[in-house]
Every structure is written in structure tokens, then in C-alpha cells.
């Protein structure tokens, strides 16, 4: 999964959609933002239909608090019903979908005071900080959690297999085709 500034505001009623499925059988419905064929291989840039969210646990680190992304399924399963109850107060329904948690419903408007900037440390790549908007916070077993949605679109890159199913690219595969994808997208923007 990759965050990117490539996004188009367009009428989604006639957009093509594809379902990604993970190894646990969970699915994620996505719009096909772009399609590209390279050496007889079709690649697609996908945008989830529902809004992605991330849940962070706040940890005390001396004098500062640190946000730690909750990624393990066991913790997500344990706090899921509490997160659902809190989000339902905003008419949002949380879904444990493939590759990302999502919510269905209208997100609140952006408020500067509710934006959290996450500095991403990666030794291999220089990544831009990610900006997230707070949707809700809650406690579960004396641990504080916060639910955020990214301000930039969450995009997935996949190849279409010979059976017609989408398969996410590994980071290594993505690095190989990234220049071609960027060139294609840049040419479409012009």
C-alpha cells in the first residue's frame, strides 16, 4: 500500500471497481483509478471505495507521548467493538477489510486542530510525513487509542493475473515498475 498525490476527482458512478482479497479471505473493494499495460502485463492503480482508517495506541515515552500504529490482528479484534461504538456516534461503520481498516459513511470536514502529522522513518526511502485527521479517540483496558483517516488518498498498485484477479505488487516489484507508472500518470495529467 502506498500513499500518493495521484488522485482524480471524478464521478464514481461509472468507475470500474475491483476486489482485492488478502490471505485471510478478507476483501477490499477499490475503484480502478488508472490502468497501464507494460510488456503484455496489465497494472492497475486502485483507490479503496470506503475511507481507510488507522488506529494508533498512545504510549508514554518519558515526557512525551508517542503514537504507535496498531497493526496486529489480535489487538484489532480486541478493540474492534469499542472502536465501532465510538465511530457509530459519527454515523461511521468500521470494516475489517483486506490490507486496511475502512469506514463507511461521510467523514467530517477537515479541521486544522484535528490533524496529526506522522513522521515516517524508512532507511531505504525518503518518505514524506503523512497527515491524518482524528475521527475519534477511546479507551480500552486503560489504553488510549485514536482513530485517524489519512488526508492523502491511499492507493494500491496491483497486476492483473492471467486469471483476471488483481495481485498486489511487492515493494521490490513496485520499485521496478514505479518509473513506468509515474511516466504514464504524468503523461495523462498533461
Amino acid at each position: 500500500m502506498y500513499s500518493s498525490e495521484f488522485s482524480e476527482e471524478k464521478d464514481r458512478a461509472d468507475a470500474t471497481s475491483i476486489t482485492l482479497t488478502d490471505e485471510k479471505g478478507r476483501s477490499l473493494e477499490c475503484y480502478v483509478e488508472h490502468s497501464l499495460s507494460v510488456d503484455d502485463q496489465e497494472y492497475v492503480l486502485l483507490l479503496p471505495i470506503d475511507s481507510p482508517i488507522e488506529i494508533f495506541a498512545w504510549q508514554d515515552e518519558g515526557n512525551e507521548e508517542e503514537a504507535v500504529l496498531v497493526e496486529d490482528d489480535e489487538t484489532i479484534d480486541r478493540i474492534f467493538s469499542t472502536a465501532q461504538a465510538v465511530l457509530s456516534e459519527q454515523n461511521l461503520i468500521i470494516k475489517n477489510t483486506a490490507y486496511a481498516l475502512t469506514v463507511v459513511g461521510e467523514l467530517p470536514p477537515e479541521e486544522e486542530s484535528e490533524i496529526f502529522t506522522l513522521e515516517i522513518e524508512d532507511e531505504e526511502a525518503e518518505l514524506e510525513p503523512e497527515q491524518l485527521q482524528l475521527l475519534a479517540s477511546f479507551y480500552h483496558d486503560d489504553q488510549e487509542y485514536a482513530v485517524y483517516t489519512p488526508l492523502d488518498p491511499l492507493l494500491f498498485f496491483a497486476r492483473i493475473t492471467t486469471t483476471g484477479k488483481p495481485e498486489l505488487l511487492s515493494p521490490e516489484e513496485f520499485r521496478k515498475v514505479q518509473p513506468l507508472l509515474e511516466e504514464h500518470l504524468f503523461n495523462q495529467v498533461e
Side-chain angles (χ1 to χ4, degrees), residues 130-164:
E130 183 178 7
Q131 288 198 313
L132 306 148
Q133 178 174 327
L134 178 67
L135 296 178
S137 59
F138 61 93
Y139 283 87
H140 185 86
D141 292 338
D142 297 323
Q143 171 64 58
E144 182 182 6
Y145 294 93
V147 181
Y148 290 89
T149 187
L151 295 182
D152 289 331
L154 177 65
L155 300 171
F156 294 92
F157 296 96
R159 84 170 66 71
I160 302 300
T161 65
T162 55
T163 61

Side-chain angles (χ1 to χ4, degrees), residues 163-181:
T163 61
K165 298 219 182 263
E167 182 179 276
L168 285 185
L169 297 180
S170 70
E172 298 78 30
E173 292 171 303
F174 175 71
R175 280 193 275 282
K176 287 180 188 174
V177 298
Q178 182 179 9
L180 298 169
L181 291 169

